[in-house]
Amino acid sequence: MYTRRTPRSASGSGGLHRRTRNRPKTAAGLLATVALLVSACSSGSATTSAASAAAEAALVALPQATPAALSSYYGQKPAWRGCGVPGFECATLKAPLDYAEPSSGDIRLALTRKKATGPGKPLGSLLVNPGGPGGSAIGYVQAYAGIGYPAEVRARYDMVAVDPRGVARSEPVKCLDGPGMDRYTQTDATPDDGKERDGLVAAYRTFAEGCGADAPRLLRHVSTVEAARDMDIVRAVLGDEKLNFVGASYGTFLGATYAGLFPDRAGRLVLDGAMDPSLPARRLNLEQTAGFETAFRSFAKDCVRQADCPLGGKGTTPERVGANLKAFFEKLDTRPVPTADGDGRKLTESLATTGVIAAMYDEGSWEQLREALTSAMKENDGSGLLVLSDGYYERDADGAYSNLMFANAAVNCLDLPASFDTPDEVRGALPAFRKASPVFGEGLAWASLNCAYWPVHATGEPHRIEAKGAAPIVVVGTTRDPATPYRWAQALAGQLSSARLLTYEGDGHTAYGRGSSCIDRTINAYLLRGTPPTDGKRCS
């Protein structure tokens, strides 16, 4: 599902995707991301029963004492070295591939840090994670957080990031080469007949088989629980008594999981754009679909007030704007639009949909989206929407893809059982998804089938995270967040025993560093002085 948050550019106040705020990532393109981050149980009544079970099940804290079998990992001394980025140093640590059998082999974890600049008393390390799963935390801290977080925070904290297992520099999972991913991202994600459904299923199978062939053993050990346990090794190696952490989007699930496993070691945790770990994937996917519809309606209302809106003029209702966009998507389904792409790719319905969804992550991208839609709809040039889609998939100009989409699937499909098991189950759910979003619902429903063909069985289930005994944890929710609906922040805050809910009344995905001085001051006060906000505080 689309829950990832991407790094922001280091310049300015932020922008969507290589522009000025959050680049859209948070969970991935239609084929690869929906239903991945939080895939849940199977069909029908099983979804209801899983949700009921999650209401009772809670993540159990690990023993406070470090097991003897893990002592060598906790006692590592990192060999810091320069890594080609001014001000940063890098190191590699080891963690057990399988925590149940530490002697069965290691996995290498890459980390980076930028030492606190001063003045002021050092506060230790501040780990950051931009979401995904699959987003590179190292890339994020080196390109944005380590130089773009508030100066007073960087003055007191060593800014630290570790790429989670299977991600980027930490033994990355790889599934397809560039041409293979091009074919995958262009697959029709809204099949109209049996032949197209078979093509979509074949694409999912090919993707999954590629991942299984590349790292059959690793795929069994890239869960969020294992990544959270890795963070505790990092904490110890850095010499910190408690973990201080800022996680966005999927990073909130990672941070909450850490707090649930190690409540006594949870320091100042900010969970921005929160997820609800208690819901099965189909419910999460459906609620996220509604979240994108909410964001699209905000875009639609703004679009028709602009002179260059290609989807309707002043007074056009959001419903009509959505119908016009849907009609454009359907036209692309049979007649893709040319682009300036050097590899000859045309703008297909699937690529255009991903491009539009990418722009929903940040209202700062709405102008770019209007321009891209105008070019595609009126000038027969799909280049602008292709740029948005490529940025979301992290495809570079040479046709190479980052590890983002591969890790995204690997983590999501392991964390929870698949949302749907068969195409028939998806067809049965289409009315509910279309109701949640007339524009995006059908594509997001079919994208939820991805994990059905994964080569490794899921090891996780929906569950509550209470983290009893943890210090105050700040949970941040944005009222019109497309990827992590506000209700999820309310739900997570209701589960965590020490949570303080901080609300941003606005658009876009996540809130910290997006221009609200109220949000930023509140979070900075918590990080610097340990002063959490009053539960229920609201900012705009």
Side-chain angles (χ1 to χ4, degrees):
M1 69 188 293
Y2 290 84
T3 53
R4 48 188 191 121
R5 178 212 191 187
T6 45
R8 315 172 185 197
S9 65
S11 60
S13 60
L16 197 91
H17 235 21
R18 294 182 186 153
R19 277 168 296 158
T20 47
R21 287 200 189 168
N22 322 351
R23 300 182 331 190
K25 302 185 179 188
T26 174
L30 278 180
L31 291 180
T33 41
V34 177
L36 296 189
L37 172 57
V38 274
S39 336
C41 63
S42 304
S43 59
S45 61
T47 301
T48 302
S49 62
S52 300
E56 302 297 330
L59 186 64
V60 177
L62 293 171
Q64 292 188 20
T66 300
L70 299 180
S71 60
S72 63
Y73 297 104
Y74 276 79
Q76 294 175 87
K77 302 296 182 184
W80 294 103
R81 64 190 184 281
C83 46
V85 181
F88 288 88
E89 51 189 358
C90 295
T92 302
L93 297 179
K94 291 181 179 179
L97 177 65
D98 183 353
Y99 277 92
E101 297 183 17
S103 62
S104 65
D106 298 332
I107 187 169
R108 291 168 296 173
L109 303 174
L111 65 158
T112 190
R113 74 176 177 185
K114 185 178 184 184
K115 298 284 285 183
T117 57
K121 181 181 178 181
L123 294 173
S125 306
L126 180 65
L127 268 70
V128 296
N129 184 281
S136 172
I138 290 178
Y140 178 67
V141 77
Q142 290 181 347
Y144 171 69
I147 54 178
Y149 262 34
E152 57 268 37
V153 173
R154 291 182 285 115
R156 306 281 299 282
Y157 283 102
D158 292 347
M159 299 297 296
V160 179
V162 55
D163 280 344
R165 50 177 61 205
V167 174
R169 298 165 178 84
S170 293
E171 300 202 16
V173 174
K174 183 174 175 61
C175 303
L176 300 174
D177 60 13
M181 275 298 289
D182 280 347
R183 291 189 293 272
Y184 182 71
T185 59
Q186 294 175 72
T187 302
D188 189 343
T190 56
D192 301 314
D193 54 36
K195 182 179 180 181
E196 290 184 351
R197 285 193 297 273
D198 290 346
L200 182 58
V201 168
Y204 288 147
R205 289 187 184 278
T206 298
F207 184 90
E209 289 168 0
C211 296
D214 175 68
R217 190 161 177 245
L218 177 61
L219 286 190
R220 293 176 172 82
H221 297 288
V222 292
S223 70
T224 297
V225 166
E226 289 163 311
R229 297 192 69 172
D230 293 342
M231 288 204 303
D232 198 52
I233 292 177
V234 172
R235 173 203 59 78
V237 166
L238 293 173
D240 294 312
E241 181 180 348
K242 293 181 180 289
L243 179 81
N244 300 311
F245 176 82
V246 177
S249 196
Y250 163 79
T252 68
F253 182 34
L254 181 61
T257 299
Y258 180 89
L261 294 174
F262 306 102
D264 58 308
R265 300 173 195 168
R268 299 171 187 178
L269 270 58
V270 177
L271 309 180
D272 185 10
M275 291 184 55
D276 180 358
S278 73
L279 296 180
R282 189 182 305 187
R283 171 90 173 269
L284 285 161
N285 293 335
L286 189 60
E287 291 188 7
Q288 190 185 61
T289 298
F292 278 109
E293 182 67 18
T294 297
F296 176 75
R297 291 176 69 87
S298 289
F299 163 75
K301 292 175 183 177
D302 178 78
C303 186
V304 299
R305 291 195 291 264
Q306 313 302 324
D308 62 344
C309 181
L311 297 171
K314 186 176 182 180
T316 305
T317 65
E319 291 79 9
R320 184 68 257 169
V321 171
N324 292 340
L325 180 60
K326 183 66 174 175
F328 171 61
F329 287 160
E330 291 172 350
K331 181 179 178 181
L332 290 175
D333 191 25
T334 55
R335 297 179 60 187
V337 170
T339 73
D341 179 59
D343 294 319
R345 290 178 301 155
K346 292 186 176 182
L347 181 70
T348 63
E349 179 188 15
S350 57
L351 292 173
T353 304
T354 299
V356 173
I357 283 180
M360 294 300 100
Y361 280 78
D362 192 313
E363 67 272 24
S365 294
W366 290 356
E367 179 180 359
Q368 180 182 1
L369 177 58
R370 292 197 310 272
E371 294 172 354
L373 284 169
T374 297
S375 294
M377 297 174 72
K378 298 185 177 182
E379 300 167 13
N380 205 42
D381 180 2
S383 301
L385 283 173
L386 186 63
V387 166
L388 281 169
S389 178
D390 283 352
Y392 198 80
Y393 283 117
E394 293 194 357
R395 181 192 192 272
D396 65 26
D398 295 327
Y401 289 77
S402 79
N403 150 263
L404 169 68
M405 303 308 301
F406 313 137
N408 185 277
V411 175
N412 287 328
C413 295
L414 192 63
D415 272 350
L416 291 169
S419 182
F420 296 107
D421 291 332
T422 67
D424 285 342
E425 291 179 6
V426 178
R427 285 200 295 271
L430 284 176
F433 276 80
R434 288 173 178 145
K435 181 179 180 180
S437 176
V439 179
F440 306 118
E442 184 175 356
L444 297 182
W446 282 107
S448 304
L449 184 61
N450 183 298
C451 289
Y453 308 102
W454 201 243
V456 175
H457 292 299
T459 57
E461 294 286 350
H463 57 272
R464 294 170 55 83
I465 301 179
E466 298 173 353
K468 293 180 180 179
I473 298 171
V474 176
V475 176
V476 188
T478 297
T479 55
R480 294 186 294 278
D481 191 315
T484 51
Y486 178 62
R487 195 205 66 75
W488 293 359
Q490 293 175 303
L492 181 61
Q495 294 169 38
L496 292 169
S497 62
S498 61
R500 306 290 179 88
L501 178 62
L502 175 63
T503 297
Y504 173 54
E505 296 178 346
D507 296 294
H509 184 41
T510 73
Y512 187 42
R514 286 176 47 81
S516 169
S517 58
C518 172
I519 289 287
D520 292 353
R521 283 197 309 268
T522 302
I523 292 177
N524 291 346
Y526 171 67
L527 291 175
L528 295 171
R529 295 188 291 279
T531 307
T534 302
D535 188 36
K537 178 172 180 167
R538 304 181 77 88
C539 294
S540 59

